[in-house]
């Protein structure tokens, strides 16, 4: 029985779609996820390791800061702050970086370097995939565990002004907000004025715990005229004034508070030499991260260089800073300088909580987790930590205690680095076999359809221009070609 052109085309389309689906399955690998559901509430924190002692800590550590302000400047490259432009146009920020009470980092933003995936990475600690580029066009509510979700659950009052992407990602999480659209790229003035106009009032108030500001103007300037435009310098000067206003206000209010405040300056992604972003060039992935607080006071001659970290490290650090559980899907590590001034027992407690969270994530996503070097380092660190606790409870001041504590601390930091790297690698692993099979299926169907077109005779004696059957078959081929071009 001869197969009709329409039936043959339908079969080809079905197989083509199947091949594309198999390819996409390999191209968009399953993300690293915790099996614990966020809506079920927070799990009890892991207790401090004990070695026969009954007085170990079992509760979550208290907050380190009374208020946290996040200033996110869209498309802020690291050299805009740490390079010659920063020295020239951001003198106040440069002073804080070089001599003030601050810690500075170069935070690597993994591709895709577009806004929504980067906000997701900053707040959840997870690595978004390329499918999030599509979601960036119309961001749905974020269902993953995040610092914002944990803060709201803990009763923290969060205020937001800026890019409306945050409002879409975290609906009903802000006690007050004013979203601005990024649609009008030619506007680089009003889009930022709409954020800054709220500052004088909100900084005088004390009825909030977390303030998030997302400025879009610099990104718009990049899209219009590139990073070398004189408008960039003016915008950086404007942002420097904003940071000075916020910082001086926070310092003036600290006398009335039991804990210091934390000011965070960061970018979601960088800016290429043409002013665009989305890819993986150094200019697009390197962003500045500056943590400013009186808790980071430095002594004269204390030179702090900007170290390289991952953007996903911010979520774990903010969670510890606010006294919150680390988001369950986070693959990031605590930025240790934030807690370096704390007593040894507290430092080890923070590092233990982070390694426990990462080791759980590893166990749930890697079948052979017991052979992972990071997991082995974690178990060794935990055993040494228990021994340190026992010694600590017996004699709180001794050289042996200090030496053992320093050893445990280094072991934890190594474990964190290895665990984070293992989980990040797991996210980036593409299923090459599925991609290959999908590609072969699509190409085979294309070759088959081209052969059919070349050798199958027309069913009528009329010219092809009037042959509806042949035209119908050609329309099916056009559909196949469209499907292929959409993917490739």
């Amino acid at each position: 029985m001869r197969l009709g052109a329409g039936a043959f085309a339908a079969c080809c389309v079905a197989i083509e779609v199947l091949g594309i689906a198999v390819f996409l399955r390999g191209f968009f690998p399953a993300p690293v996820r915790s099996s614990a559901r966020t809506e079920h509430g927070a799990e009890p924190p892991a207790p401090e390791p004990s070695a026969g002692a009954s007085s170990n800590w079992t509760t979550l550590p208290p907050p380190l800061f009374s208020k946290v302000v996040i200033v996110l400047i869209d498309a802020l490259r690291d050299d805009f702050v740490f390079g010659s432009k920063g020295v020239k146009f951001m003198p106040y920020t440069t002073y804080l970086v070089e001599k003030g009470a601050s810690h500075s980092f170069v935070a690597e933003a993994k591709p895709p370097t577009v806004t929504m995936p980067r906000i997701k990475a900053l707040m959840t600690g997870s690595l978004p995939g390329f499918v999030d580029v599509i979601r960036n066009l119309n961001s749905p509510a974020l269902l993953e565990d995040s610092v914002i979700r944990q803060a709201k659950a803990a009763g923290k009052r969060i205020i937001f002004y800026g890019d409306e992407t945050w409002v879409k990602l975290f609906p009903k999480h802000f006690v007050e907000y004013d979203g601005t659209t990024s649609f009008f790229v030619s506007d680089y003035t009003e889009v930022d004025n709409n954020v800054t106009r709220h500052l004088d009032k909100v900084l005088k108030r004390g009825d909030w715990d977390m303030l998030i500001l997302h400025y879009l103007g610099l990104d718009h300037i990049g899209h219009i005229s590139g990073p070398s435009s004189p408008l960039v310098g003016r915008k950086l000067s404007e942002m420097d004034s904003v940071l000075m206003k916020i910082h001086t206000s926070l310092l003036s209010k600290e006398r009335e508070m039991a804990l210091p405040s934390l000011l965070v300056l960061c970018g979601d992604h960088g800016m290429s030499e043409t002013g665009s972003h989305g890819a993986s060039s150094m200019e697009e992935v390197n962003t500045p991260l500056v943590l400013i607080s009186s808790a980071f006071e430095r002594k004269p001659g204390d030179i702090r260089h900007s170290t390289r970290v991952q953007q996903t490290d911010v979520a774990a650090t903010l969670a510890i800073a606010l006294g919150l559980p680390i988001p369950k899907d986070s693959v990031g590590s605590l930025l240790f300088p934030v807690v370096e001034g704390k007593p040894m027992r507290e430092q080890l407690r923070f590092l233990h909580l982070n390694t426990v969270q990462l080791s759980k994530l590893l166990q749930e996503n890697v079948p052979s987790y017991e052979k992972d070097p990071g997991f082995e380092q974690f178990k060794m660190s935990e055993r040494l930590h228990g021994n340190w606790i026992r010694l600590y409870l017996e004699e709180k001041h001794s050289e042996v205690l200090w030496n053992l504590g320093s050893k445990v601390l280094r072991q934890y930091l190594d474990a964190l680095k290895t665990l984070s790297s293992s989980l990040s690698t797991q996210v980036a692993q593409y299923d090459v076999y599925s991609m290959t099979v999908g590609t072969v299926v699509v190409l085979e169907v294309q070759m088959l359809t081209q052969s059919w077109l070349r050798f199958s005779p027309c069913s009528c004696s009329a010219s092809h221009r009037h042959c509806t059957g042949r035209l119908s078959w050609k329309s099916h081929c056009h559909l196949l070609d469209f499907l292929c071009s959409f993917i490739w």
Side-chain angles (χ1 to χ4, degrees):
M1 180 179 175
R2 186 175 178 179
L3 186 65
F8 180 78
C11 290
C12 287
V13 170
I15 297 172
E16 190 102 2
V17 170
L18 177 63
I20 292 170
V22 172
F23 176 86
L24 291 177
R25 180 184 178 277
F27 188 72
F28 298 123
V32 171
R33 291 282 182 270
S34 170
S35 60
R37 301 291 295 274
T38 55
E39 60 266 25
H40 290 170
E43 296 179 5
E48 184 183 54
S50 61
S54 58
S55 61
N56 63 313
W57 292 341
T58 58
T59 59
L60 204 63
L64 302 178
F65 303 96
S66 58
K67 292 184 183 297
V68 173
V69 180
I70 300 173
V71 179
L72 192 158
I73 302 175
D74 211 294
L76 185 67
R77 280 175 18 175
D78 63 324
D79 60 327
F80 285 178
V81 175
F82 304 137
S84 58
K85 278 189 171 68
V87 174
K88 183 176 181 180
F89 299 111
M90 303 187 77
Y92 189 79
T93 305
T94 299
Y95 170 79
L96 292 175
V97 168
E98 294 181 351
K99 299 179 181 180
S102 69
H103 292 293
S104 57
F105 310 88
V106 176
E108 182 183 354
K110 299 288 188 184
T113 49
V114 290
T115 297
M116 192 282 279
R118 305 299 7 119
I119 295 174
K120 185 177 175 182
L122 286 164
M123 293 297 108
T124 67
S126 63
L127 283 172
F130 283 94
V131 71
D132 289 300
V133 175
I134 301 171
R135 294 175 182 168
N136 185 67
L137 302 175
N138 186 25
S139 306
L142 188 62
L143 302 178
E144 296 173 41
D145 194 16
S146 66
V147 175
I148 301 293
R149 180 188 288 267
Q150 293 286 1
K152 184 176 185 296
K156 303 285 185 185
R157 296 156 297 179
I158 313 170
I159 294 177
F160 171 77
Y161 305 120
D163 187 350
E164 63 183 2
T165 303
W166 289 77
V167 182
K168 294 177 181 178
L169 287 174
F170 306 106
K172 301 180 181 179
H173 284 71
F174 306 121
V175 295
E176 183 179 315
Y177 65 88
D178 185 9
T180 56
T181 180
S182 59
F183 183 76
F184 301 104
V185 181
S186 59
D187 171 30
Y188 52 84
T189 304
E190 289 302 317
V191 73
D192 285 346
N193 290 343
N194 285 336
V195 178
T196 305
R197 66 190 177 94
H198 296 283
L199 281 183
D200 287 334
K201 288 184 179 179
V202 77
L203 290 174
K204 291 177 182 177
R205 292 158 43 188
D207 60 345
W208 53 271
D209 304 292
M210 195 172 180
L211 173 64
I212 304 172
L213 310 170
H214 187 147
Y215 284 93
L216 287 165
L218 182 65
D219 178 69
H220 289 188
I221 290 173
H223 286 298
I224 296 169
S225 51
S228 300
S229 168
L231 295 173
V232 169
R234 280 181 243 164
K235 181 57 67 174
L236 292 177
S237 295
E238 178 188 336
M239 295 295 99
D240 193 52
S241 300
V242 167
L243 286 164
M244 183 170 65
K245 175 182 285 191
I246 296 171
H247 186 228
T248 53
S249 176
L250 291 175
L251 288 177
S252 66
K253 295 287 180 65
E254 280 191 3
R255 303 185 194 92
E256 309 163 12
M257 300 175 184
L259 295 171
S261 301
L262 174 65
L263 173 58
V264 180
L265 167 65
C266 61
D268 52 348
H269 52 74
M271 182 190 299
S272 73
E273 289 303 322
T274 60
S276 62
H277 55 86
S280 57
S281 69
M282 293 293 287
E283 293 81 11
E284 291 167 275
V285 301
N286 287 344
T287 66
L289 174 62
V290 185
L291 308 180
I292 306 161
S293 174
S294 59
F296 307 146
E297 202 66 56
R298 68 174 90 183
K299 299 176 182 177
D302 181 5
I303 300 174
R304 299 174 182 174
H305 299 287
S306 300
T307 55
R308 192 170 186 83
V309 298
Q310 295 299 313
Q311 200 177 57
T312 49
D313 297 336
V314 173
T317 305
L318 286 177
I320 294 295
L322 289 163
L324 304 171
I326 297 172
K328 297 179 178 67
D329 300 328
S330 171
V331 300
S333 304
L334 167 67
L335 297 175
F336 183 67
V338 173
V339 300
E340 200 167 11
K342 297 293 179 182
M344 178 66 76
R345 188 178 184 184
E346 293 181 31
Q347 292 182 37
L348 296 179
R349 174 65 171 151
F350 295 135
L351 294 174
H352 178 246
L353 288 171
N354 198 177
T355 50
V356 166
Q357 176 262 323
L358 289 179
S359 66
K360 283 183 178 179
L361 200 59
L362 186 78
Q363 292 177 58
E364 293 171 1
N365 290 274
V366 180
S368 57
Y369 69 89
E370 291 179 337
K371 298 178 182 179
D372 188 271
F375 188 78
E376 293 174 355
Q377 289 174 321
F378 160 64
K379 300 306 288 185
M380 174 65 73
S381 304
E382 203 170 39
R383 284 194 295 272
L384 289 174
H385 192 178
N387 293 336
W388 186 89
I389 292 294
R390 181 174 58 188
L391 185 62
Y392 174 84
L393 294 174
E394 291 173 358
E395 46 178 320
K396 293 190 177 182
H397 303 286
S398 74
E399 187 176 348
V400 175
L401 182 69
W402 173 257
N403 290 337
L404 179 59
S406 299
K407 182 179 180 180
V408 178
L409 193 145
R410 289 193 300 270
Q411 190 83 19
Y412 268 135
L413 290 173
D414 289 342
L416 277 176
K417 185 177 180 180
T418 310
L419 284 168
S420 180
S421 177
S422 297
L423 289 165
S424 299
T425 302
Q426 185 73 17
V427 173
Q429 279 184 344
Y430 297 100
D431 188 345
V432 179
Y433 178 77
S434 295
M435 292 171 67
T436 303
V437 170
T439 302
V440 170
V441 170
V442 170
L443 292 177
E444 286 288 345
V445 172
Q446 281 288 293
M447 291 172 63
L448 182 60
T449 55
Q450 293 302 323
S451 298
W452 178 283
L453 272 178
R454 189 175 303 149
F455 298 112
S456 62
C458 184
S459 60
C460 66
S461 58
S463 65
H464 293 321
R465 186 166 51 90
H466 302 291
C467 179
T468 56
R470 191 61 172 260
L471 286 174
S472 175
W473 168 237
K474 283 188 174 182
S475 68
H476 288 299
C477 289
H478 290 319
L479 174 59
L480 293 176
D481 290 335
F482 169 75
L483 286 171
C484 285
S485 64
F486 181 76
I487 292 301
W488 309 122

